[in-house]
Amino acid sequence: MKRGVLLAGVCGLGLTAGILAQTQPAAPRPPAKKPPAAAPAPAPNTAPVRTSITLAQVEGLWRNARTAEDYKTVGAAFETLLKSDATNAEYRIRYADLLISRFNVADAESLYQEALKIDPKNAKAYIGLAEIYADSFDKLGEESATAALGLDPKLYHAQEIIARIALEDSNMEKAAKAADLALAIDPTAVEAIAIHATIDLLADRPNSPWLAKIGNRGEGYADIARALVNNRRYEDGIAYYRKAVAANPDLWRAHSQLGVNLMRMGREEEARAELELAYNNDYRDAVTANTLILMDTYKDYDTTRWPEPGTPTGILRLHKKESAVLRPYFEVEMKRAMATYEKKYGYKMTKPVQLEVYTDPANFAVRVMGLAGIGLLGVTFDNVVAMDGPSARARQEGYHWASVMWHELSHVYTIAMTNERVPRWFTEGVAVHEEAATTPDWGDRLNPQIVAALRDKKLLPIADIDRGFVHPTYPEQVIVSYYQAGKICDYIVKRWGDSKLVEMIHAFAGNRQTPDVIREVLKMEPEAFDKDFLADLMAETGKTVNGFEAWTKEMRELNTAVKDDKIPADMLQRARALEAIYPDYVEAGSPYLLAAQACLKASDKPCAVGEFAKYSKIGGRDLEAMEQYAGLLSEGGNKKDALAALSRMIYVFPLDAGLHEKLGNLNLDTGNTKDAVREFQVLLALNPGDKAGSHYNLAKAYQADGQKDKAREEAINALETAPEFRPAQKLLLDVSGDGK
Amino acid sequence: MRNICSLGSTRLAAAAFLLLGASAHTAFGATYFLTVAGLGGEADYEQRFQMLATDTDKMLKASPGTDKIVETLKGADATRAKLEASLAKIAAAAKPADAFVLMMIGHGTFDGGEYKFNLPGPDISGPELAVLLNRITAGRQLVVNMTSASGGATDALKKEGRVIITATKSGTEKNATVFARFWVEALRDPAADTDKNQAITALEAYKYAVAKTTAFFTDSKHLATEHAVLADEQRAAAFTLVRSGSAVVVTDPAKRALVATKEDIENKIDALKYQKDLMDSDDYRRQLTTLLLQLARTQEAIEK
């Protein structure tokens, strides 16, 4: 999956659901245990909530609760209990357990915290918190579980949580050990058994003896399924969710997750059935509700299939309101990426590749709910890719949709080629590498957060790099891990060639661990690889890392001077010195743009063109700057380069009407009449305010392309809006044979 | 934007004047333009407001035609006293056949009851401004209030024959606005001239600025903090702000006949467009094409 540098959240989805759902746990959890059946139970809904109500009575209400109304009654009873005794930690913990089971994680967390303030040695409160934090991949999960164990060593579920977290880190040894500790306390502990079974399944030992020990406990299969999905083993995950619901047909969270994962794989009919089953049985968490809402919006999408609609190899799904604008570019890039990968990896997909482009970040967020990490821009589920479309991101982000597409489509190939057994770091590393492998100015640049991480020597050894993706220990670690993984793949290609990456893909298909693959394919120890890689990376980035502090200070000074309109006389020299220290910096206040400004102030246009050219080559994405660059090139008669410079911006600003108009005209001027037609068609699809002008532009392009009939129709369209529009009148006469 | 509706034809019946490449402009008197850039408060705003006023001033003055009087108040000159003096001067000079356009750029405030336009020194309230405007007898008036909270001034400024455009829908939209930037951009961007008659009307500029303002907030993923309002589109369509074509006088009697023919064809096109929804689409297209070709040929003959 592709992650944005800006940490756009996937929170706030409860609002989309508009139902009970509040902040949603990232993954399904076992429901909080209802009280034992032996306790006396008043009938639901009918029992009055008295101030003298006891916890046992509330537990009874809860045990018999079935509907949302019942649960509201139980909640009200807990509120009464809380008011009756503000110092009772147990009331808070049980109330929090109820809220967890009703998907209200935020309030549950507060109640556990309150319980700990009252009773700092309450192990159950720590367990509750451990569940919440572990589900959101927060490092506090393990800390809370450990704290619980410190207070009550017999709490086997705390060991299960620790084992689950270790499993997510691919630390099988630690996971097995913690699971064993749980089983030593309770030999029937189902999650611990499931963790052992998962370890076997991930190691391709399908006949694990642990599976039989789960028996008909659906929860155990659901735990396995969840872990398999976390390891991108989606098909296997679906199979185990099926086992879970077969063993326990009332396990609604498993039905929900089965539906979600079927939806991820594009099997919408079956997905909807499972989700509706869960929903109709009052399992209405944010994932279930929002996924159903998302599926309802699919009617608003256009789907293009090729080469044949019935047996497609590619499927592109775009929102109707944007499909006419985006399809010309998305379809071309998708086909180009697939052809490139097919050739490079020597692999032809056996299933159609489906790409879904979302205009609403809330809809895309539903697609990625439950996955580790936030701020995702794209996500791949086997052969199905979901990604943010350009309109889902703020313009100032400079969102490069084509990089994201190539990134995600790379995952499709590495996942398929390894039969879903590729480690996270490697598939991400290849994907980051591929972003810029074909078109060097694409992809993300070395950003200041990564420079700081390099300076502070925060990179992980290759054997442990997966940890940086799933359980980061500092805020920027996920971004740093993407960068590092990408650079590792760049380094492998640089030193050994593309073929080694392909060999590694094949090696991972054999379910080999990273250190073994490094030894086998690269013929070196992982530690030696780390050493060589870091040396190479430092050779490339050392000047930036070492000069970063001075660079930052100088950048601040120069940009402040520009803002205050006090451009120093030596700005060009100073900006160029900054470029030399940190050549990759093309974000706001880039030295290339400062230098170009200095050149223009000195009326030295060739100098400015030179600076803009460097900025463009490295990957600068400021549209105004690029338009200025193209303008200078055009003025100098170099329209081909101007066209090339502006064409880069289509991969960032495909919805900018002005850009299409400029590209249309440049294409016309340089004789690329078919491209001019495309640009002006897209401009019209953007529904511009100047309809007459846009139809006229398209008429001109058709005329230049020799399509007189279409030119005539478009001239008439222009004149229908603006009958007195002289250029359109002249064109109409021209193509009607009246021209002089 | 040609008006063909209830205001009556805005074409010259005698068709003696032509904009180069455009047939019609209104047969009204002079237009008085007053642009005021209020107090910025901060250097950035001060600079921005003054720049917008300066650009507006330049474009109005550069616009072809002699039937306009342009005045701009900005910076230290944009005081209440000077505003009052300018309005008094216009009140003394303008006749009922004239038009008056006031463009207000800057910050406004609204306390729940009264709007104030922020100026260096004392501000001016909506009702106070209305009193001054009401002394101007120009038959057609346009007030483009582009300040924050400008919607709060509408009730006070309302008057028969006065078109009011505000950057915000009410006085409670209090953030600094971006509408003014796009309004001024409309005056210079040929794309704002959607009917391609080489003149940008208040309605065209309004629609252009609204579209750009909407895109500004959509693109930045920010909640829109301003919603511009124009109550009377028909009258706004009759207000030409700037022109890019030059007025020429047709003296040749033969060409006068052609101009009349052209007017006739244009009227037929307008009538046909009104019937569009009721017609068979092929028939509509056929008739439209015929008329457009006739119009183009006639225009060409006029220009010969």
Side-chain angles (χ1 to χ4, degrees):
Chain A
M1 58 193 76
K2 170 74 175 171
R3 192 177 189 287
V5 174
L6 292 172
L7 297 180
V10 291
C11 53
L13 292 159
L15 293 174
T16 312
I19 56 162
L20 291 175
Q22 298 192 18
T23 308
Q24 168 59 18
R29 72 185 67 246
K33 287 195 175 82
K34 286 192 174 189
N45 288 333
T46 53
V49 178
R50 300 170 309 205
T51 50
S52 59
I53 196 167
T54 65
L55 178 60
Q57 287 171 312
V58 179
E59 300 265 6
L61 279 172
W62 181 2
R63 187 170 50 255
N64 287 287
R66 294 290 177 271
T67 67
E69 279 305 306
D70 294 344
Y71 285 109
K72 275 188 194 167
T73 304
V74 182
F78 267 119
E79 290 290 346
T80 306
L81 272 183
L82 257 55
K83 280 180 193 156
S84 72
D85 185 355
T87 61
N88 190 312
E90 186 65 11
Y91 291 171
R92 279 165 174 74
I93 290 165
R94 289 302 286 154
Y95 189 13
D97 290 344
L98 169 75
L99 292 175
I100 286 273
S101 74
R102 301 307 300 162
F103 324 118
N104 183 349
V105 177
D107 287 343
E109 182 186 356
S110 301
L111 282 166
Y112 288 133
Q113 297 282 14
E114 284 176 26
L116 279 176
K117 278 186 191 155
I118 296 165
D119 177 9
K121 294 193 171 178
N122 194 310
K124 287 184 204 164
Y126 275 114
I127 280 286
L129 288 172
E131 280 286 13
I132 289 172
Y133 297 137
D135 277 351
S136 54
F137 302 97
D138 190 318
K139 64 177 181 174
L140 289 173
E142 180 162 357
E143 287 176 21
S144 301
T146 304
L149 278 172
L151 295 165
D152 182 354
K154 293 285 183 191
L155 272 176
Y156 71 90
H157 187 51
Q159 294 288 9
E160 289 181 318
I161 294 171
I162 291 169
R164 189 197 309 159
I165 293 168
L167 191 62
E168 287 164 357
D169 273 340
S170 302
N171 188 339
M172 304 305 178
E173 194 180 329
K174 184 178 174 184
K177 195 174 161 191
D180 283 341
L181 288 169
L183 289 167
I185 300 164
D186 180 354
T188 67
V190 70
E191 187 173 359
I193 292 169
I195 281 164
H196 272 299
T198 305
I199 292 169
D200 283 346
L201 292 172
L202 289 174
D204 280 341
R205 293 191 291 268
N207 299 319
S208 169
W210 293 95
L211 288 170
K213 293 182 184 179
I214 293 174
N216 64 348
R217 290 179 290 177
E219 295 89 345
Y221 298 118
D223 288 341
I224 292 172
R226 181 197 169 195
L228 288 168
V229 167
N230 279 344
N231 282 276
R232 294 163 304 288
R233 300 264 293 261
Y234 297 109
E235 290 291 0
D236 292 341
I238 285 170
Y240 273 89
Y241 277 125
R242 289 193 199 282
K243 283 191 181 195
V245 298
N248 184 357
D250 292 344
L251 193 58
W252 307 121
R253 72 181 174 94
H255 282 288
S256 166
Q257 281 300 308
L258 175 57
V260 166
N261 283 288
L262 286 166
M263 182 271 286
R264 286 171 172 169
M265 305 295 280
R267 293 172 219 163
E268 284 150 26
E269 201 173 323
E270 197 186 355
R272 181 180 285 281
E274 291 295 336
L275 287 160
E276 284 181 347
L277 186 63
Y279 188 86
N280 293 335
N281 280 282
D282 205 35
Y283 192 84
R284 298 179 181 188
D285 65 335
V287 170
T288 308
N290 284 321
T291 305
L292 281 167
I293 291 168
L294 171 65
M295 292 179 77
D296 286 343
T297 69
Y298 284 169
K299 65 180 185 311
D300 302 328
Y301 287 76
D302 279 334
T303 303
T304 309
R305 296 175 173 83
W306 66 82
E308 299 296 331
T311 52
T313 55
I315 302 170
L316 176 60
R317 180 179 273 173
L318 293 162
H319 198 282
K320 281 178 180 166
K321 70 181 178 188
E322 288 180 354
S323 68
V325 175
L326 298 182
R327 193 189 304 118
Y329 311 102
F330 273 65
E331 190 176 328
V332 166
E333 279 310 313
M334 190 174 167
K335 286 175 177 170
R336 190 164 79 101
M338 288 175 65
T340 302
Y341 294 147
E342 197 172 303
K343 188 175 174 193
K344 185 185 271 192
Y345 303 145
Y347 182 84
K348 194 169 180 63
M349 289 294 296
T350 56
K351 291 191 276 190
V353 178
Q354 178 168 319
L355 178 74
E356 300 167 5
V357 182
Y358 289 92
T359 54
D360 182 349
N363 284 339
F364 175 68
V366 176
R367 274 308 232 139
V368 301
M369 279 181 93
L371 302 176
I374 57 171
L376 300 175
L377 303 172
V379 64
T380 301
F381 305 101
D382 268 15
N383 57 319
V384 179
V385 172
M387 63 180 279
D388 263 337
S391 58
R393 314 298 304 183
R395 185 181 171 88
Q396 60 269 26
E397 281 182 46
Y399 173 66
H400 199 290
W401 62 266
S403 291
V404 174
M405 182 200 281
W406 277 67
H407 180 112
E408 296 304 330
L409 290 173
S410 159
H411 286 314
V412 169
Y413 282 80
T414 52
I415 289 171
M417 289 172 73
T418 59
N419 193 25
E420 303 180 330
R421 275 141 182 85
V422 63
R424 175 79 181 267
W425 81 265
F426 185 70
T427 189
E428 296 297 357
V430 172
V432 171
H433 166 75
E434 292 295 0
E435 285 178 31
T438 305
T439 316
D441 61 85
W442 289 9
D444 293 328
R445 306 271 81 84
L446 175 68
N447 70 36
Q449 290 171 311
I450 297 166
V451 174
L454 292 172
R455 179 195 60 203
D456 301 339
K457 303 195 184 315
K458 285 185 168 177
L459 300 195
L460 291 168
I462 193 167
D464 295 334
I465 191 173
D466 258 351
R467 195 156 45 79
F469 288 95
V470 183
H471 290 123
T473 55
Y474 58 95
E476 303 83 19
Q477 193 172 20
V478 177
I479 292 166
V480 172
S481 299
Y482 272 89
Y483 171 79
Q484 185 186 351
K487 279 291 170 191
I488 286 173
C489 291
D490 289 347
Y491 175 66
I492 290 169
V493 169
K494 186 168 77 175
R495 182 165 167 184
W496 290 283
D498 275 327
S499 62
K500 281 293 170 193
L501 277 189
V502 181
E503 279 183 51
M504 287 177 78
I505 295 172
H506 289 307
F508 281 122
N511 212 359
R512 314 289 306 279
Q513 296 300 303
T514 295
D516 295 337
V517 170
I518 298 292
R519 287 185 196 104
E520 182 183 304
V521 178
L522 304 182
K523 314 290 184 204
M524 65 196 304
E525 287 301 312
E527 296 77 12
F529 178 87
D530 285 334
K531 195 177 158 199
D532 287 2
F533 164 67
L534 284 175
D536 185 73
L537 186 62
M538 285 316 291
E540 182 185 321
T541 62
K543 194 170 181 185
T544 305
V545 172
N546 297 328
F548 187 55
E549 205 170 318
W551 180 89
T552 307
K553 186 169 171 286
E554 176 75 344
M555 273 286 284
R556 196 174 296 130
E557 274 182 27
L558 273 189
N559 276 289
T560 305
V562 170
K563 184 174 173 285
D564 295 343
D565 208 16
K566 294 174 184 165
I567 297 176
D570 60 349
M571 185 158 87
L572 180 59
Q573 292 71 27
R574 289 169 68 181
R576 282 183 170 159
L578 289 170
E579 291 171 9
I581 295 170
Y582 189 169
D584 254 14
Y585 188 80
V586 285
E587 307 307 322
S590 167
Y592 300 108
L593 300 184
L594 294 176
Q597 203 171 340
C599 299
L600 288 173
K601 199 181 174 202
S603 302
D604 188 346
K605 288 183 182 176
C607 163
V609 165
E611 292 299 330
F612 281 128
K614 285 189 270 180
Y615 174 76
S616 178
K617 190 178 176 189
I618 289 172
R621 296 177 189 171
D622 183 291
L623 181 57
E624 273 183 37
M626 291 305 297
E627 285 178 337
Q628 203 176 359
Y629 175 37
L632 288 169
L633 288 167
S634 286
E635 272 177 44
N638 191 351
K639 295 207 171 181
K640 280 199 171 172
D641 282 355
L643 175 62
L646 271 192
S647 294
R648 284 186 56 240
M649 294 294 97
I650 278 296
Y651 304 107
V652 188
F653 303 103
L655 302 172
D656 189 288
L659 176 60
H660 290 286
E661 186 167 5
K662 288 184 181 79
L663 284 172
N665 286 321
L666 281 168
N667 273 306
L668 264 185
D669 292 346
T670 50
N672 299 313
T673 54
K674 294 216 177 323
D675 288 349
V677 167
R678 181 197 61 220
E679 291 306 323
F680 289 132
Q681 281 175 331
V682 168
L683 178 60
L684 265 174
L686 281 165
N687 194 24
D690 183 11
K691 288 189 176 48
S694 302
H695 282 293
Y696 169 67
N697 281 334
L698 183 54
K700 272 195 307 182
Y702 276 133
Q703 188 186 28
D705 196 47
Q707 302 187 60
K708 278 176 89 172
D709 288 349
K710 287 185 177 173
R712 189 169 190 266
E713 289 306 302
E714 287 305 327
I716 291 167
N717 288 338
L719 291 166
E720 183 181 18
T721 305
E724 300 167 71
F725 189 10
R726 280 302 286 142
Q729 286 181 339
K730 286 176 180 168
L731 193 147
L732 176 63
L733 293 175
D734 235 18
V735 294
S736 301
D738 284 25
K740 300 293 177 284
Chain B
M1 174 65 71
R2 188 170 51 246
N3 174 50
I4 56 171
C5 305
S6 59
L7 289 177
S9 175
T10 56
R11 280 193 202 109
L12 284 172
F17 290 92
L18 291 176
L19 280 177
L20 204 58
S23 69
H25 74 115
T26 50
F28 297 110
T31 301
Y32 291 82
F33 289 97
L34 176 60
T35 305
V36 188
L39 185 67
E42 293 171 18
D44 272 359
Y45 284 121
E46 199 67 46
Q47 191 185 6
R48 199 180 309 172
F49 296 160
Q50 289 195 40
M51 190 185 71
L52 291 172
T54 304
D55 287 354
T56 304
D57 185 82
K58 276 185 196 163
M59 286 181 285
L60 293 175
K61 285 176 177 164
S63 172
T66 54
D67 51 350
K68 61 183 187 298
I69 299 94
V70 179
E71 187 180 358
T72 299
L73 299 174
K74 61 185 181 184
D77 281 343
T79 61
R80 175 176 171 150
K82 291 198 173 173
L83 172 61
E84 287 173 348
S86 295
L87 289 171
K89 195 169 68 182
I90 293 168
K95 307 279 183 298
D98 294 335
F100 167 64
V101 179
L102 173 65
M103 292 187 255
M104 298 156 68
I105 299 164
H107 297 304
T109 55
F110 184 69
D111 62 7
E114 192 171 80
Y115 165 86
K116 281 186 178 169
F117 181 30
N118 299 167
L119 299 168
D123 295 339
I124 189 163
S125 72
E128 289 166 343
L129 184 60
V131 168
L132 298 171
L133 296 180
N134 292 345
R135 290 177 187 151
I136 298 172
T137 55
R140 298 183 310 125
Q141 299 191 9
L142 168 67
V143 176
V144 190
N145 187 347
M146 295 176 271
T147 71
S148 40
S150 46
T154 304
D155 285 345
L157 299 179
K158 265 185 195 165
K159 191 191 172 206
E160 180 62 32
R162 182 179 296 152
V163 177
I164 298 172
I165 290 173
T166 56
T168 77
K169 68 180 172 191
S170 68
T172 56
E173 292 187 327
K174 295 181 175 179
N175 286 15
T177 61
V178 295
F179 181 85
R181 170 180 146 196
F182 298 122
W183 173 270
V184 176
E185 190 179 302
L187 302 184
R188 79 165 76 90
D189 188 347
D193 177 19
T194 52
D195 63 1
K196 304 296 172 193
N197 68 349
Q198 300 189 39
I200 293 171
T201 65
L203 180 61
E204 286 175 326
Y206 171 78
K207 286 188 170 176
Y208 179 97
V210 165
K212 291 270 182 173
T213 302
T214 304
F216 173 85
F217 286 104
T218 305
D219 289 350
S220 62
K221 303 290 168 207
H222 289 141
L223 202 62
T225 54
E226 61 188 90
H227 301 83
V229 176
L230 161 62
D232 191 339
E233 291 202 356
Q234 286 183 1
R235 286 180 195 276
F239 258 105
T240 297
L241 298 172
V242 289
R243 293 176 182 135
S244 53
S246 308
V248 292
V249 181
V250 175
T251 51
D252 180 348
K255 288 198 174 177
R256 285 193 177 194
L258 283 170
V259 170
T261 305
K262 184 182 164 194
E263 289 279 329
D264 181 50
I265 299 168
E266 284 175 341
N267 285 332
K268 284 178 180 165
I269 290 171
D270 287 341
L272 181 70
K273 282 161 74 174
Y274 266 101
Q275 295 296 313
K276 182 177 182 180
D277 291 344
L278 306 172
M279 291 177 71
D280 170 72
S281 57
D282 287 344
D283 188 29
Y284 168 78
R285 191 76 177 179
R286 201 164 32 247
Q287 290 191 40
L288 178 69
T289 305
T290 303
L291 289 169
L292 288 173
L293 276 166
Q294 286 174 7
L295 183 63
R297 288 171 189 139
T298 308
Q299 181 65 42
E300 194 144 274
I302 292 169
E303 288 176 13
K304 265 184 186 169

